């Protein structure tokens, strides 16, 4: 009798899994690699695999999540049209003739993402958390009208409390302070932790909050952006989140190597627009209305040309990844990549592989320790494949490498929040600055060289000598890489 019941349950489970797998194939219409990965999860983890899929695998409906009626009043839409027409007619007024070489990349971002090109920016690069946050707090203390601050991870530890003290003090002075954080990235905090800040006049919103403390149907779609805009005149974009580990105070990770940019110039307008769109999506009753004070006329601060490019699962195209691919395909001398996760999809992998096989100097730098074990071993596996194509791979040994940076030919570079993995390409909401400037790109390349001195080069001999256990970990992680 017991055997009969067990047989019936086994058959029912098998039929249910077949039904779920069929629904995944015919209803979701994913790409083949992620479809097979999820089918494996469903069959090897019966029933529970389905609940994992509900939490992590469901696709986000392609709809307009980010709306703001004030967008037209900023003038960005008209500027996009003018810039596209000028580029199409080869009449664009490039202030730096070298930028003209990348007019196809500029046009791609305009058409694909509505990312206007600004050419009057000053850029300060931070590769150390203490210097970055000291500068940020100093800028916060100088704010006169508003502070817009957004992070994927915001911890109320020593650093977080220091920033909140500065934000609360400005709110008490009458400065309008808005703080946006991601619910999953900052899962240890909630709005109740900001009572003093809210009493002072500050506002707090959460991106894609959970329905219940442990239930979030949009768990897999996170806002990974890090944006700060102060008075519409100073901005920050890059890889640092807010937490003591980003100051190198974590025993697990040690020194934290990241890259962040401080911006002044017209690039603040699209960066401000991105924050407002994200804020209004998260806000239930405190939407930001258009006001000219958010978009002041800024005096010329520099000569760096750049585009602020964002991407997310609500979009038809993978805008930041497309920009990465265009940069790689335009390389003539070298491609330097720093990323904590190197799990490329087939298009990115082929682009880098072909570049290396073509004689381009391809160098990839990854961490020496995992913050997510499966992700790390998948990264190690792909790094080994790149070695066979002729690329050089460096393992950063001076702590944890978290920077997301690509530099090409000392001419064009990108810094932001998007990693080299499917999660950043397809699932997360990301933002990057694409920079067309010899000085800034050379400075970023110099930082790469400095990091090489703190790294061990992974050779084919070292890679082939890895243990059987590491090979097993790589195989499992590689199999699951489309859904990591």
């Amino acid at each position: 009798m017991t055997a009969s019941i067990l047989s019936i349950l086994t058959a029912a489970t098998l039929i249910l899994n077949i039904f779920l797998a069929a629904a995944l194939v015919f209803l979701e219409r994913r790409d083949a690699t992620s479809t097979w990965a999820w089918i494996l999860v469903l069959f090897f983890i019966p029933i529970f695999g389905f609940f994992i899929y509900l939490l992590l695998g469901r696709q986000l409906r392609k709809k307009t999540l980010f709306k703001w009626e004030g967008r037209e009043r900023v003038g960005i839409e008209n500027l996009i049209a003018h810039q596209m027409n000028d580029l199409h007619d080869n009449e664009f007024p490039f202030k730096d003739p070298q930028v003209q070489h990348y007019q196809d990349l500029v046009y791609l971002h305009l058409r694909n993402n509505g990312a206007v090109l600004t050419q009057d920016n000053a850029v300060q690069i931070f590769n150390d958390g203490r210097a970055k946050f000291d500068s940020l707090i100093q800028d916060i203390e100088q704010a006169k009208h508003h502070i817009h601050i957004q992070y994927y991870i915001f911890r109320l530890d020593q650093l977080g409390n220091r920033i909140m003290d500065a934000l609360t003090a400005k709110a008490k002075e009458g400065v309008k302070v808005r703080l946006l954080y991601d619910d999953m990235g900052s899962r240890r905090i909630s709005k109740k932790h900001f009572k003093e800040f809210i009493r002072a006049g500050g506002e707090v919103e959460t991106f894609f909050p959970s329905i219940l403390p442990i239930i979030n149907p949009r768990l897999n779609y996170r806002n990974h952006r890090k944006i700060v805009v102060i008075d519409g005149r100073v901005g920050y974009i890059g890889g640092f989140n807010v937490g003591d580990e980003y100051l190198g105070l974590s025993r697990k990770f040690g020194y934290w190597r990241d890259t962040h940019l401080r911006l002044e110039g017209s690039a603040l307008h699209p960066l401000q627009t991105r924050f407002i769109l994200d804020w209004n999506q998260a806000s239930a009753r405190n939407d930001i209305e258009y006001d000219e004070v958010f978009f002041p006329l800024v005096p010329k601060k520099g000569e760096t040309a750049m585009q602020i490019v964002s991407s997310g699962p609500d979009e038809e195209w993978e805008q930041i990844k497309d920009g990465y691919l265009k940069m790689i395909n335009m390389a003539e001398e070298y491609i330097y990549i720093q990323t904590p996760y190197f799990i490329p999809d087939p298009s990115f992998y082929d682009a880098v592989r072909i570049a290396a096989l073509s004689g381009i100097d391809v160098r990839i730098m990854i961490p020496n320790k995992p913050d997510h074990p499966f992700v790390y071993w998948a990264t190690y596996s792909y790094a080994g494949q790149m070695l066979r194509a002729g690329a050089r791979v460096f393992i950063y040994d001076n702590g944890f490498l978290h920077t997301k940076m690509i530099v090409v030919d000392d001419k064009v570079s990108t810094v932001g929040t998007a990693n080299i993995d499917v999660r950043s390409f397809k699932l997360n909401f990301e933002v990057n600055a694409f920079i067309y400037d010899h000085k800034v790109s050379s400075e970023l390349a110099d930082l790469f060289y400095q990091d090489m001195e703190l790294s061990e080069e992974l050779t084919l001999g070292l890679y082939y000598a890895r243990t059987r256990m590491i090979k097993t970990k790589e195989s499992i992680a590689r199999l699951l890489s489309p859904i990591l």
Side-chain angles (χ1 to χ4, degrees):
M1 183 69 176
T2 303
S4 300
I5 294 175
L6 183 60
S7 298
I8 292 172
L9 288 175
T10 301
T13 300
L14 179 61
I15 293 170
L16 179 60
N17 272 350
I18 292 173
F19 173 77
L20 294 174
L24 178 64
V25 172
F26 294 108
L27 299 180
E28 290 282 349
R29 294 189 179 276
R30 300 170 170 272
D31 61 89
T33 52
S34 62
T35 296
W36 279 112
W38 278 115
I39 287 175
L40 286 171
V41 170
L42 291 173
F43 275 92
F44 281 101
I45 316 177
I47 305 302
F48 292 106
F50 175 63
F51 290 104
I52 294 173
Y53 171 74
L54 289 179
L55 284 176
L56 300 178
R58 295 180 64 193
Q59 290 184 315
L60 192 69
R61 291 177 58 191
K62 297 288 191 294
K63 60 180 181 179
T64 304
L65 288 174
F66 303 99
K67 301 178 182 178
W68 183 43
E69 294 180 359
R71 185 183 176 96
E72 293 183 3
R73 298 182 66 181
V74 178
I76 290 179
E77 302 296 335
N78 289 334
L79 186 55
I80 292 169
H82 284 305
Q83 290 193 350
M84 287 182 64
N85 288 335
D86 288 346
L87 286 167
H88 185 268
D89 297 335
N90 291 315
E91 296 178 352
F92 192 90
F94 289 106
K95 296 180 180 179
D96 180 356
Q98 288 191 353
V99 182
Q100 189 169 0
H101 177 70
Y102 294 98
Q103 68 177 24
D104 289 353
L105 177 56
V106 173
Y107 188 89
L108 169 70
H109 287 317
L110 277 164
R111 183 173 181 179
N112 203 19
N113 191 238
V116 299
L117 179 72
T118 57
Q119 304 185 81
D120 61 350
N121 303 290
V123 179
Q124 182 178 0
I125 301 170
F126 294 101
N127 66 337
D128 176 79
R130 293 182 184 275
K132 181 257 178 173
F133 286 108
D134 284 347
S135 176
L136 174 62
I137 291 172
Q138 184 176 3
D139 284 328
I140 288 172
E141 291 172 345
Q142 299 299 315
K144 303 298 182 185
H145 180 266
H146 67 271
I147 301 168
H148 292 160
I149 183 167
Q150 171 182 357
Y151 282 95
Y152 170 65
I153 295 174
F154 198 103
R155 303 195 196 283
L156 289 176
D157 50 17
Q158 179 180 333
L159 175 61
N161 285 321
R162 183 182 168 203
I163 291 175
M164 286 311 305
D165 287 345
L167 294 176
T168 302
K170 298 309 292 187
K172 289 179 179 178
E173 293 176 14
V175 174
K176 193 63 178 178
V177 185
R178 297 177 174 92
L179 169 64
L180 174 63
Y181 64 87
D182 183 84
D183 183 69
M184 184 61 187
S186 306
R187 55 190 175 275
R188 296 180 181 177
I189 64 173
S190 64
K191 288 187 179 181
K192 68 181 181 182
H193 293 102
F194 298 96
K195 291 180 180 178
E196 182 181 354
F197 172 66
I198 294 172
R199 281 197 297 267
E203 295 180 4
V204 180
E205 294 293 350
T206 310
F207 189 87
F208 278 6
S210 302
I211 298 173
L212 295 172
I214 59 173
I215 299 177
N216 192 328
R218 294 178 290 189
L219 178 67
N220 216 26
Y221 302 101
R222 309 317 315 172
N223 196 320
H224 196 233
R225 296 171 183 143
K226 296 95 177 170
I227 295 172
V228 177
V229 180
I230 299 172
D231 291 343
R233 297 180 181 276
V234 175
Y236 288 81
I237 183 174
F240 282 107
N241 287 292
V242 174
D244 286 349
E245 65 265 40
Y246 302 97
L247 300 179
L249 299 178
S250 167
R251 291 184 179 179
K252 177 181 179 181
F253 296 111
Y255 182 74
W256 191 279
R257 170 66 175 89
D258 220 321
T259 305
H260 221 91
L261 306 178
R262 180 184 186 273
L263 307 178
E264 292 182 274
S266 297
L268 268 295
H269 289 184
L271 195 64
Q272 180 82 284
T273 301
R274 180 69 268 164
F275 175 87
I276 293 174
L277 287 167
D278 284 9
W279 176 270
N280 285 356
Q281 191 286 324
S283 172
R285 60 183 66 88
N286 295 315
D287 283 5
I288 299 175
E289 302 293 338
Y290 173 81
D291 192 321
E292 291 183 356
V293 75
F294 294 132
F295 302 92
L297 292 174
V298 293
K300 181 178 178 180
K301 291 292 184 178
E303 298 179 346
T304 297
M306 72 169 57
Q307 291 173 288
I308 303 298
V309 180
S310 57
S311 63
D314 60 317
E315 299 285 353
E316 182 178 4
W317 312 112
E318 299 164 22
Q319 291 95 332
I320 293 177
K321 187 195 80 171
D322 289 349
Y324 286 172
L325 292 177
K326 188 67 175 177
M327 286 175 62
I328 290 166
N329 291 333
M330 297 181 75
E332 297 175 348
E333 298 178 15
Y334 77 76
I335 302 164
Y336 297 161
I337 300 172
Q338 284 183 308
T339 177
Y341 319 126
F342 186 75
I343 312 177
D345 68 356
S347 63
F348 191 95
Y349 170 79
D350 285 342
V352 179
R353 176 182 60 83
I354 291 169
L357 289 171
S358 301
I360 303 296
D361 179 11
V362 176
R363 305 185 191 188
I364 302 166
M365 190 176 293
I366 59 176
N368 72 342
K369 62 185 71 175
D371 61 341
H372 303 292
F374 274 110
V375 173
Y376 181 77
W377 292 117
T379 291
Y380 202 74
S381 171
Y382 280 105
Q385 279 194 292
M386 294 311 307
L387 289 172
R388 290 193 286 271
R392 298 176 68 186
V393 176
F394 297 87
I395 311 296
Y396 183 75
D397 276 335
N398 189 43
F400 184 70
L401 180 77
H402 190 251
T403 181
K404 305 95 166 54
M405 182 189 79
I406 300 177
V407 187
V408 173
D409 295 344
D410 274 4
K411 297 176 181 177
V412 62
S413 52
T414 181
V415 172
T417 67
N419 297 303
I420 311 300
D421 61 11
V422 173
R423 179 162 297 279
S424 279
F425 291 164
K426 290 180 176 291
L427 302 177
N428 285 343
F429 299 92
E430 308 280 5
V431 63
N432 270 48
F434 282 77
I435 304 161
Y436 311 89
D437 185 270
H438 171 72
K439 181 177 180 296
V440 173
S441 297
S442 296
E443 188 175 345
L444 290 169
D446 287 342
L447 290 175
F448 189 95
Y449 296 138
Q450 293 174 26
D451 291 333
M452 283 175 54
E453 298 297 320
L454 301 170
S455 303
E456 178 185 6
E457 184 165 3
L458 179 64
T459 64
L460 275 173
L462 288 172
Y463 182 71
Y464 287 145
R466 68 199 189 284
T467 65
R468 187 179 298 274
M469 177 60 71
I470 291 177
K471 292 178 182 179
T472 302
K473 291 178 180 179
E474 282 186 23
S475 298
I476 296 172
R478 186 70 175 261
L479 192 64
L480 296 175
S481 64
I483 59 175
L484 289 178

